[in-house]
Amino acid sequence: MDEVDRRLLAQLQQDSGRTLHELGELVGLSPSAVQRRITHYRTSGLLTREVAVLDTGKLGGMLAIVLVVLERESHAHHRAFAQRMRATPEVQQCYELAGRWDYLVVLSVTDMARCREVGDELFQQDDNVKRYETMPVFDAVKTGLAVTLP
């Protein structure tokens, strides 16, 4: 990975909807050279997907952070928990943690009532969830998925 790759990847992380021409002007490449690099990022698995980011303020809805501790911690129990998180549309993000809590889960739901329903389904009714704490998000101060480039 060279300096142009780092600049191009940074631009793609900010807004992947830019045209090849715009990206090329920003990083000093021709549109065809930008396309070749992006194709390489995709085929190598470095660029896994491109998504649209929606404005939740215009759509309504809310986020909630849930911290979870499992009762039993075998590989199978962690795998089962992770599979349930991946299969639930309201789970926006899920991280396995080191320390006091086993998981941090970010829920994106329509309202507080749905937050409670999802919490009951995912955590309250799971015999392997020892403890969980749900915290509604008042304000998303900073959001993003950008990766720090070497």
Side-chain angles (χ1 to χ4, degrees):
M1 180 179 298
D2 62 18
E3 182 58 31
V4 174
D5 285 317
R6 284 188 279 282
R7 289 196 323 262
L8 180 53
L9 288 166
Q11 292 300 323
L12 288 170
Q13 287 189 106
Q14 287 179 13
D15 183 359
S16 67
R18 291 186 176 119
T19 66
L20 297 174
H21 181 75
E22 290 169 325
L23 289 167
E25 285 185 356
L26 290 168
V27 300
L29 291 175
S30 69
S32 60
V34 169
Q35 180 61 54
R36 282 192 299 276
R37 287 182 187 242
I38 292 173
T39 299
H40 174 71
Y41 303 153
R42 288 179 181 137
T43 58
S44 71
L46 178 62
L47 180 58
T48 59
R49 61 190 170 128
E50 298 172 59
V51 299
V53 178
L54 306 179
D55 185 339
T56 56
K58 292 181 180 178
L59 292 171
M62 64 172 284
L63 296 175
I65 306 299
V66 184
L67 295 169
V68 180
V69 175
L70 298 183
E71 183 72 39
R72 294 169 303 283
E73 296 212 31
S74 70
H75 181 69
H77 285 105
H78 280 278
R79 187 174 57 244
F81 184 86
Q83 286 173 340
R84 282 196 11 263
M85 296 303 105
R86 286 186 195 104
T88 303
E90 290 89 351
V91 174
Q92 185 185 73
Q93 298 173 56
C94 179
Y95 301 95
E96 187 174 357
L97 305 174
R100 222 173 67 163
W101 300 94
D102 293 321
Y103 289 92
L104 181 147
V105 179
V106 179
L107 298 177
S108 176
V109 291
T110 53
D111 54 34
M112 187 60 83
R114 183 62 184 145
C115 184
R116 185 175 189 143
E117 290 171 5
V118 171
D120 286 350
E121 293 166 11
L122 289 178
F123 312 114
Q124 185 77 23
Q125 297 172 15
D126 183 340
D127 291 338
N128 196 38
V129 172
K130 180 178 183 177
R131 183 173 85 246
Y132 72 99
E133 186 175 331
T134 304
M135 297 166 278
V137 172
F138 288 145
D139 184 20
V141 176
K142 180 180 179 183
T143 62
L145 296 173
V147 174
T148 302
L149 299 168

